[in-house]
Amino acid sequence: MAERFTDRSDAGKRLAGAFSDYAGSRDLVVFGLPRGGVPVAFEVARHLGAPLDIVVVRKIGVPGQPELAMGAVASGGVIVRNEQVLGLLKMSDEAFNAAAAAARTELKERELALRGDERDIDITGKTAIVVDDGMATGSSMKAAVEALRTLGPRSIVVAVPVAAPEVVARLEWVADDVVSLLTPLSLVAVGAWYRQFGQTPESEVRRLLDKAIPDL
């Protein structure tokens, strides 16, 4: 078994080493997926001298089948439609829009709880590095990448300390690059690759965002 990460901070410092060529770039924004991805992203952003923000993703569940996603909403007012599911369900635009509106309300409440304000994410023409603490299925990361893509970035790089190899392969179809320090054939669970993997409190997310470079 490869050497495990001590905690998310250690993972972020080690992950940052893979991005030395990006250090000092003015056209770079680092995003963390709340909540566990933020401590990792903080270290990456700090090492690169880049601003840090969060990208929150909220699934739009099918009425009566909330676990089945017919789309997603994300930070920046982005709505992503899963046309395959919508086509199978023959879902009307009115029904989808109503569900999307409810998901956006939940998303805004989540963002306010995590960073305490509302702001637009401007990544036009920039490189966005999107960070999580690991990827077992990659579903949230895929939605985040698809959402950020609509905001006109120059490129999107997915960065994680550990991920299943098949998930890395899937994300390579939607991101411009995918960096994973570890790609074990038997992932089991992301937490298995950390010595300390407790939940990240909302207060810690807010603290790190306040401490990070503020200007986007």
Side-chain angles (χ1 to χ4, degrees), residues 6-209:
T6 302
D7 53 19
R8 291 181 176 90
S9 178
D10 172 53
K13 291 172 183 175
R14 289 163 63 177
L15 184 60
F19 292 93
S20 297
D21 291 346
Y22 289 81
S25 172
R26 295 187 177 183
D27 296 322
L28 180 67
V29 181
V30 177
F31 291 93
L33 269 63
R35 290 178 288 181
V38 176
V40 185
F42 174 81
E43 296 296 342
V44 174
R46 186 171 68 87
H47 176 80
L48 300 180
L52 172 69
D53 202 355
I54 56 174
V55 53
V56 182
V57 177
R58 179 69 65 179
K59 179 171 59 179
I60 304 173
V62 173
Q65 302 180 66
E67 293 305 311
L68 178 59
M70 58 181 177
V73 294
S75 299
V78 174
I79 299 176
V80 178
R81 294 168 57 97
N82 186 329
E83 298 295 350
Q84 182 178 10
V85 172
L86 289 171
L88 289 172
L89 294 172
K90 298 185 175 8
M91 181 73 62
S92 69
D93 287 342
E94 290 78 7
F96 176 83
N97 291 338
R104 288 183 68 180
T105 297
E106 294 176 1
L107 179 88
K108 288 181 180 180
E109 292 174 353
R110 182 77 168 143
E111 286 184 319
L112 286 171
L114 291 172
R115 67 183 181 194
D117 64 357
E118 293 188 57
R119 54 181 157 172
D120 293 328
I121 300 174
D122 182 12
I123 58 172
T124 305
K126 298 179 181 180
T127 294
I129 299 179
V130 192
V131 181
D132 205 354
D133 53 16
M135 295 191 301
T137 66
S139 57
S140 293
M141 181 64 79
K142 182 175 182 291
V145 171
E146 290 175 341
L148 290 173
R149 184 74 72 189
T150 69
L151 301 179
R154 180 176 61 200
S155 62
I156 299 178
V157 181
V158 168
V160 293
V162 59
E166 64 272 17
V167 174
V168 171
R170 285 200 298 269
L171 265 295
E172 286 174 341
W173 285 93
V174 295
D176 296 286
D177 194 12
V178 180
V179 175
S180 181
L181 298 183
L182 302 178
T183 52
L185 292 177
S186 179
L187 178 70
V188 183
V190 169
W193 297 88
Y194 289 80
R195 292 188 177 89
Q196 300 174 30
F197 197 69
Q199 287 193 354
T200 302
E202 290 185 355
S203 58
E204 178 67 3
V205 172
R206 291 193 296 268
R207 186 187 73 82
L208 292 175
L209 289 175

